[in-house]
Coordinates of all heavy atoms in Angstrom, one line a residue:
V166 N 113.4 106.6 125.8 CA 112.9 107.3 127.0 C 113.8 107.1 128.2 O 114.3 106.0 128.4 CB 111.5 106.8 127.4 CG1 110.9 107.5 128.6 CG2 110.5 107.0 126.2
A167 N 114.0 108.2 128.9 CA 114.8 108.1 130.2 C 113.9 107.8 131.3 O 112.8 108.4 131.5 CB 115.5 109.4 130.4
L168 N 114.2 106.7 132.1 CA 113.5 106.4 133.3 C 114.2 107.1 134.5 O 115.3 106.7 134.8 CB 113.5 104.9 133.5 CG 112.9 104.0 132.3 CD1 112.9 102.6 132.7 CD2 111.5 104.5 131.9
C169 N 113.5 108.1 135.0 CA 114.2 108.9 136.1 C 113.5 108.6 137.4 O 112.3 108.8 137.6 CB 114.0 110.4 135.7 SG 114.5 110.8 134.1
P170 N 114.3 108.1 138.4 CA 113.7 107.8 139.7 C 113.2 109.1 140.3 O 113.9 110.2 140.2 CB 114.8 107.2 140.5 CG 115.9 106.8 139.5 CD 115.7 107.7 138.3
L171 N 112.0 109.1 141.0 CA 111.5 110.3 141.7 C 112.6 110.7 142.7 O 113.1 109.8 143.4 CB 110.2 110.0 142.3 CG 109.0 109.7 141.3 CD1 107.7 109.5 142.0 CD2 108.9 110.8 140.3
G172 N 112.9 111.9 142.9 CA 113.9 112.4 143.8 C 115.2 112.6 143.1 O 116.0 113.3 143.7
S173 N 115.4 112.1 141.9 CA 116.6 112.3 141.2 C 116.5 113.7 140.5 O 115.5 114.3 140.3 CB 116.8 111.3 140.1 OG 115.8 111.4 139.1
P174 N 117.7 114.3 140.2 CA 117.7 115.7 139.6 C 117.0 115.6 138.3 O 116.4 116.6 137.9 CB 119.2 116.0 139.5 CG 119.9 114.8 139.6 CD 119.1 113.9 140.5
E175 N 117.1 114.5 137.5 CA 116.5 114.4 136.2 C 114.9 114.4 136.3 O 114.2 114.8 135.3 CB 116.9 113.2 135.5 CG 118.4 113.2 135.1 CD 119.3 112.8 136.3 OE1 118.8 112.3 137.4 OE2 120.5 112.8 136.2
A176 N 114.4 114.0 137.4 CA 112.9 113.9 137.6 C 112.3 115.2 138.0 O 111.1 115.3 138.2 CB 112.6 112.8 138.6
A177 N 113.2 116.2 138.3 CA 112.7 117.5 138.8 C 112.0 118.3 137.7 O 111.3 119.3 138.0 CB 113.8 118.2 139.5
A178 N 112.3 118.0 136.5 CA 111.7 118.7 135.3 C 110.9 117.8 134.4 O 110.9 116.6 134.6 CB 112.9 119.4 134.6
E179 N 110.2 118.4 133.5 CA 109.5 117.6 132.5 C 110.0 117.9 131.1 O 110.8 118.8 130.9 CB 108.0 118.0 132.6 CG 107.4 117.5 134.0 CD 105.9 117.8 134.0 OE1 105.3 118.4 133.0 OE2 105.2 117.4 135.0
G180 N 109.4 117.2 130.1 CA 109.9 117.5 128.8 C 111.1 116.7 128.4 O 111.6 115.9 129.3
P181 N 111.7 116.9 127.2 CA 112.8 116.1 126.8 C 114.0 116.4 127.7 O 114.2 117.4 128.2 CB 113.1 116.7 125.4 CG 111.8 117.2 124.9 CD 111.1 117.7 126.1
L182 N 114.8 115.3 127.9 CA 116.0 115.4 128.8 C 117.2 115.3 128.0 O 117.5 114.3 127.3 CB 116.0 114.1 129.8 CG 117.2 113.9 130.6 CD1 117.4 115.1 131.6 CD2 117.1 112.6 131.4
P183 N 118.0 116.4 127.9 CA 119.2 116.4 127.1 C 120.2 115.4 127.7 O 120.3 115.3 129.0 CB 119.7 117.9 127.2 CG 118.5 118.6 127.5 CD 117.7 117.7 128.4
L184 N 120.9 114.7 126.9 CA 121.9 113.7 127.4 C 122.9 114.4 128.3 O 123.4 113.8 129.3 CB 122.6 113.0 126.2 CG 121.7 112.1 125.4 CD1 122.5 111.6 124.2 CD2 121.2 110.9 126.2
G185 N 123.3 115.6 128.0 CA 124.3 116.3 128.8 C 123.8 116.7 130.2 O 124.6 117.1 131.0
Q186 N 122.5 116.6 130.4 CA 122.0 116.9 131.7 C 121.7 115.7 132.6 O 121.1 115.8 133.6 CB 120.7 117.7 131.6 CG 120.9 119.1 131.0 CD 119.7 120.0 130.9 OE1 118.6 119.6 131.5 NE2 119.7 121.0 130.1
I187 N 122.2 114.6 132.2 CA 122.1 113.4 133.0 C 123.3 113.3 134.0 O 124.4 113.2 133.6 CB 122.1 112.1 132.1 CG1 120.9 112.1 131.2 CG2 122.1 110.8 132.9 CD1 120.8 110.9 130.2
H188 N 122.9 113.4 135.2 CA 124.0 113.4 136.3 C 123.9 112.1 137.1 O 124.9 111.7 137.8 CB 123.8 114.6 137.2 CG 123.9 115.9 136.4 ND1 125.0 116.3 135.8 CD2 122.9 116.8 136.2 CE1 124.8 117.5 135.2 NE2 123.5 117.8 135.4
S189 N 122.7 111.5 137.1 CA 122.6 110.2 137.9 C 123.4 109.1 137.2 O 123.7 109.1 136.0 CB 121.2 109.8 137.9 OG 120.4 110.8 138.6
E190 N 123.8 108.1 138.0 CA 124.4 106.9 137.5 C 123.5 106.2 136.5 O 122.3 106.0 136.8 CB 124.9 106.0 138.6 CG 126.0 105.1 138.2 CD 126.6 104.4 139.4 OE1 126.0 103.4 139.9 OE2 127.6 104.9 140.0
L191 N 124.1 105.7 135.4 CA 123.3 105.1 134.4 C 123.3 103.6 134.5 O 124.3 102.9 134.8 CB 123.9 105.4 133.0 CG 123.0 105.2 131.8 CD1 121.8 106.2 131.8 CD2 123.8 105.5 130.5
V192 N 122.1 103.0 134.5 CA 122.0 101.5 134.3 C 122.1 101.3 132.8 O 121.1 101.6 132.1 CB 120.7 101.0 134.9 CG1 120.5 99.5 134.7 CG2 120.5 101.3 136.4
A193 N 123.2 100.8 132.4 CA 123.5 100.8 131.0 C 123.1 99.4 130.3 O 123.0 98.4 130.9 CB 125.0 101.0 130.8
L194 N 122.9 99.5 129.0 CA 122.8 98.4 128.1 C 124.1 98.1 127.5 O 124.9 99.0 127.3 CB 121.7 98.7 127.0 CG 120.3 99.1 127.5 CD1 119.5 99.5 126.4 CD2 119.7 97.9 128.3
P195 N 124.3 96.8 127.1 CA 125.6 96.5 126.5 C 125.9 97.3 125.2 O 125.0 97.6 124.5 CB 125.5 95.0 126.2 CG 124.4 94.5 127.1 CD 123.4 95.6 127.2
A196 N 127.2 97.5 124.9 CA 127.6 98.2 123.7 C 127.2 97.5 122.5 O 127.0 98.2 121.4 CB 129.1 98.5 123.8
D197 N 127.1 96.2 122.5 CA 126.7 95.5 121.3 C 125.2 95.3 121.2 O 124.7 94.7 120.2 CB 127.4 94.1 121.3 CG 127.1 93.2 122.5 OD1 126.4 93.7 123.4 OD2 127.5 92.0 122.5
D198 N 124.4 95.8 122.1 CA 123.0 95.8 122.0 C 122.6 96.9 121.0 O 123.1 98.0 121.1 CB 122.3 96.0 123.4 CG 120.8 96.1 123.3 OD1 120.2 95.0 123.4 OD2 120.3 97.2 123.1
P199 N 121.6 96.6 120.1 CA 121.2 97.7 119.1 C 120.8 99.0 119.8 O 121.3 100.1 119.4 CB 120.1 97.1 118.4 CG 120.2 95.6 118.6 CD 120.9 95.4 119.9
L200 N 120.0 99.0 120.8 CA 119.7 100.2 121.5 C 120.8 100.8 122.4 O 121.0 102.0 122.5 CB 118.4 100.0 122.4 CG 117.2 99.6 121.6 CD1 115.9 99.6 122.5 CD2 116.9 100.4 120.3
G201 N 121.5 99.9 123.0 CA 122.7 100.3 123.8 C 123.7 101.1 122.9 O 124.3 102.1 123.4
S202 N 123.9 100.6 121.7 CA 124.9 101.3 120.8 C 124.3 102.6 120.4 O 125.1 103.6 120.2 CB 125.2 100.4 119.6 OG 124.0 100.2 118.8
V203 N 123.0 102.7 120.2 CA 122.4 104.0 119.8 C 122.7 105.1 120.9 O 123.1 106.2 120.6 CB 120.9 103.9 119.6 CG1 120.3 105.2 119.5 CG2 120.7 103.1 118.3
V204 N 122.5 104.7 122.2 CA 122.7 105.6 123.3 C 124.2 105.9 123.4 O 124.6 107.1 123.6 CB 122.2 105.0 124.6 CG1 122.6 105.9 125.8 CG2 120.7 104.8 124.6
L205 N 125.0 104.9 123.3 CA 126.5 105.1 123.4 C 127.0 106.1 122.3 O 127.8 107.0 122.6 CB 127.2 103.8 123.3 CG 128.7 103.8 123.4 CD1 129.1 104.4 124.8 CD2 129.3 102.4 123.2
N206 N 126.5 105.9 121.0 CA 126.9 106.7 119.9 C 126.5 108.1 120.1 O 127.2 109.1 119.8 CB 126.4 106.2 118.6 CG 127.1 104.8 118.2 OD1 128.2 104.5 118.7 ND2 126.4 104.1 117.4
A207 N 125.2 108.3 120.6 CA 124.7 109.7 120.8 C 125.5 110.4 121.9 O 125.8 111.6 121.8 CB 123.3 109.6 121.2
C208 N 125.9 109.7 123.0 CA 126.8 110.3 124.0 C 128.1 110.6 123.5 O 128.6 111.7 123.8 CB 126.9 109.3 125.2 SG 125.3 109.2 126.2
E209 N 128.7 109.7 122.7 CA 130.1 110.0 122.2 C 130.1 111.1 121.2 O 131.1 111.9 121.2 CB 130.6 108.7 121.5 CG 131.0 107.6 122.5 CD 131.5 106.4 121.8 OE1 131.3 106.3 120.5 OE2 132.1 105.5 122.4
A210 N 129.0 111.3 120.5 CA 128.9 112.4 119.5 C 128.9 113.8 120.2 O 129.3 114.8 119.7 CB 127.6 112.3 118.7
Q211 N 128.5 113.8 121.5 CA 128.5 115.0 122.3 C 129.7 115.1 123.3 O 129.8 115.9 124.1 CB 127.2 115.2 123.1 CG 126.0 115.3 122.2 CD 124.8 115.6 123.0 OE1 124.8 116.3 124.0 NE2 123.6 115.1 122.5
G212 N 130.6 114.1 123.2 CA 131.7 114.0 124.1 C 131.4 113.7 125.5 O 132.1 114.1 126.5
L213 N 130.3 112.9 125.7 CA 129.8 112.6 127.1 C 130.2 111.2 127.5 O 130.3 110.3 126.6 CB 128.3 112.7 127.1 CG 127.7 114.1 126.7 CD1 126.1 114.0 126.6 CD2 128.1 115.2 127.7
Q214 N 130.5 111.0 128.7 CA 130.8 109.7 129.3 C 130.0 109.5 130.6 O 130.5 109.8 131.7 CB 132.3 109.5 129.5 CG 133.1 109.5 128.3 CD 134.6 109.2 128.6 OE1 135.1 109.6 129.7 NE2 135.3 108.5 127.7
P215 N 128.7 109.0 130.4 CA 127.9 108.9 131.6 C 128.5 107.9 132.6 O 129.1 106.9 132.2 CB 126.6 108.4 131.0 CG 126.6 108.7 129.6 CD 128.0 108.7 129.2
R216 N 128.3 108.1 133.9 CA 128.8 107.2 134.9 C 127.9 106.0 134.9 O 126.7 106.0 134.9 CB 128.8 107.9 136.3 CG 129.8 109.0 136.4 CD 129.8 109.5 137.8 NE 128.4 110.1 138.2 CZ 127.7 109.6 139.2 NH1 128.1 108.5 139.9 NH2 126.5 110.1 139.5
S217 N 128.5 104.8 135.0 CA 127.7 103.6 135.0 C 128.6 102.5 135.7 O 129.7 102.2 135.4 CB 127.4 103.1 133.6 OG 126.7 101.9 133.6
R218 N 127.9 101.8 136.6 CA 128.5 100.6 137.2 C 127.7 99.3 136.9 O 128.3 98.2 136.9 CB 128.5 100.7 138.8 CG 129.5 101.7 139.3 CD 129.5 101.7 140.8 NE 128.3 102.1 141.4 CZ 127.9 101.9 142.6 NH1 128.7 101.3 143.5 NH2 126.7 102.3 143.1
L219 N 126.5 99.5 136.5 CA 125.6 98.3 136.2 C 125.3 98.2 134.8 O 124.9 99.2 134.1 CB 124.3 98.4 137.0 CG 124.4 98.4 138.6 CD1 123.1 98.6 139.2 CD2 125.1 97.2 139.1
T220 N 125.6 97.1 134.2 CA 125.2 96.8 132.8 C 124.3 95.6 132.7 O 124.6 94.6 133.3 CB 126.4 96.5 131.9 OG1 127.3 97.7 132.0 CG2 126.1 96.2 130.5
V221 N 123.2 95.7 132.0 CA 122.2 94.6 132.0 C 121.9 94.1 130.6 O 122.2 94.8 129.6 CB 120.9 95.1 132.7 CG1 121.0 95.5 134.1 CG2 120.3 96.2 131.9
Q222 N 121.4 92.9 130.5 CA 121.2 92.3 129.2 C 119.8 92.5 128.7 O 119.5 92.5 127.5 CB 121.5 90.8 129.2 CG 122.9 90.4 129.6 CD 123.9 90.8 128.5 OE1 123.5 90.7 127.3 NE2 125.0 91.3 128.9
T223 N 118.9 92.8 129.5 CA 117.5 93.0 129.1 C 116.9 94.4 129.6 O 117.3 94.9 130.6 CB 116.5 91.9 129.7 OG1 116.4 92.1 131.1 CG2 117.1 90.5 129.3
Y224 N 116.0 94.9 128.8 CA 115.5 96.2 129.0 C 114.6 96.2 130.3 O 114.5 97.1 131.1 CB 114.7 96.8 127.8 CG 115.5 96.6 126.5 CD1 114.8 96.4 125.3 CD2 116.8 96.8 126.5 CE1 115.5 96.3 124.2 CE2 117.6 96.7 125.3 CZ 116.9 96.4 124.1 OH 117.6 96.3 123.0
Q225 N 113.9 95.1 130.4 CA 113.0 94.9 131.6 C 113.8 95.0 132.9 O 113.4 95.6 133.9 CB 112.3 93.6 131.5 CG 111.2 93.5 130.5 CD 110.6 92.1 130.4 OE1 111.3 91.2 129.8 NE2 109.5 91.9 130.9
L226 N 115.0 94.3 132.9 CA 115.9 94.4 134.1 C 116.3 95.8 134.4 O 116.4 96.2 135.5 CB 117.0 93.4 133.9 CG 118.0 93.3 135.1 CD1 117.3 93.0 136.4 CD2 119.1 92.3 134.8
A227 N 116.7 96.5 133.3 CA 117.1 97.9 133.5 C 116.0 98.7 134.2 O 116.2 99.4 135.2 CB 117.4 98.5 132.2
R228 N 114.7 98.5 133.7 CA 113.6 99.2 134.3 C 113.4 98.8 135.8 O 113.2 99.7 136.7 CB 112.3 98.9 133.6 CG 111.1 99.7 134.0 CD 109.9 99.3 133.3 NE 109.5 97.9 133.6 CZ 108.6 97.2 132.8 NH1 108.2 97.7 131.7 NH2 108.3 96.0 133.2
S229 N 113.5 97.5 136.1 CA 113.4 97.1 137.5 C 114.4 97.6 138.4 O 114.1 98.0 139.6 CB 113.4 95.5 137.5 OG 112.4 95.0 136.8
L230 N 115.6 97.7 137.9 CA 116.7 98.3 138.7 C 116.5 99.8 139.0 O 116.7 100.3 140.1 CB 118.1 98.1 138.1 CG 118.6 96.7 138.0 CD1 119.9 96.6 137.2 CD2 118.7 96.1 139.4
V231 N 116.0 100.5 138.0 CA 115.7 101.9 138.2 C 114.6 102.1 139.2 O 114.6 103.0 140.1 CB 115.3 102.6 136.9 CG1 114.9 104.0 137.1 CG2 116.5 102.5 135.9

Side-chain angles (χ1 to χ4, degrees):
V166 177
L168 305 181
C169 311
L171 295 183
S173 67
E175 295 83 6
E179 296 183 353
L182 173 63
L184 292 175
Q186 292 182 15
I187 295 177
H188 303 293
S189 298
E190 199 168 87
L191 199 65
V192 177
L194 302 172
D197 60 354
D198 176 89
L200 300 190
S202 65
V203 167
V204 174
L205 181 62
N206 292 339
C208 289
E209 288 180 347
Q211 297 186 34
L213 303 173
Q214 291 185 330
R216 293 183 298 115
S217 177
R218 288 184 298 165
L219 300 177
T220 300
V221 298
Q222 296 294 321
T223 68
Y224 312 146
Q225 289 171 284
L226 180 55
R228 185 183 69 196
S229 297
L230 292 176
V231 176

